[in-house]
Amino acid sequence: MLQCTAVTLLPPDAVLRLTAPGADSSADPEPYVLCELGEHDSTPTGPHTEHAAYLRPGRTPDSPALWFFWTGNGPQLTHRAETAPWCPAVLRRLDSGLVRRCALFDHHTAAHSWDVTDPLGDLIAEQLVSGDSPEG
C-alpha cells in the first residue's frame, strides 16, 4: 500500500508545543508535516480518516509519542496535537528471526507501517547507497 500524500502546514500552536521548555531543542520543527498512514479515505464529506504525522518521541521508547492529527485544509482544517501510545502489532519472520514493531500509533486505520511504502523515500534512499555519490 502506498503512503498517503497529504501534507499540511503546522499551525502556530503545534509549533509552540514542539519548541516549549522540555521539548527537544536540538532541532527546529519543520513548518509542514506529511501523513504517515497508508492511503486512506480523507474526503471532506462523509466518513473520513484523520491524517497523522509523528512529531516527537516519548521519554522512553515505549512511552506515548506526540502526533499531529488533521482533516481538511485551508479554512476547513481541523487539527489536534496529542500523545498517543504505539501500536502493539509486531511482525515476526520465523525464517530470519526479524522482529519489527509497527511505527504508528495505537488504533490507527489502514495498514501497519511495514505494509506502507513511500516511493519518494525509497528513491532518496537509493541515491544514498554507499559509493553512489554525486562526486563519483
Side-chain angles (χ1 to χ4, degrees):
M1 170 178 282
L2 293 177
Q3 184 173 347
C4 177
T5 58
V7 62
T8 192
L9 289 171
L10 272 176
D13 61 322
V15 173
L16 286 174
R17 269 187 95 170
L18 289 172
T19 57
D24 179 12
S25 59
S26 63
D28 292 331
E30 292 291 334
Y32 59 88
V33 290
L34 304 167
C35 182
E36 298 187 33
L37 300 175
E39 291 178 312
H40 56 92
D41 179 19
S42 58
T43 58
T45 59
H48 63 274
T49 300
E50 287 182 306
H51 298 291
Y54 171 80
L55 295 179
R56 190 176 69 216
R59 293 183 187 267
T60 66
D62 291 328
S63 61
L66 183 63
W67 288 80
F68 183 77
F69 300 95
W70 80 96
T71 58
N73 53 39
Q76 286 77 37
L77 177 71
T78 60
H79 70 277
R80 58 190 171 92
E82 62 183 49
T83 57
W86 293 102
C87 176
V90 175
L91 174 67
R92 298 180 193 279
R93 297 204 182 235
L94 299 177
D95 59 338
S96 65
L98 175 73
V99 177
R100 291 179 66 186
R101 293 181 64 179
C102 181
L104 300 172
F105 55 93
D106 196 14
H107 300 293
H108 60 85
T109 57
H112 292 292
S113 60
W114 53 76
D115 289 325
V116 177
T117 58
D118 175 8
L120 179 58
D122 293 344
L123 181 63
I124 292 169
E126 285 176 16
Q127 300 301 316
L128 299 177
V129 174
S130 64
D132 188 22
S133 72
E135 290 82 30

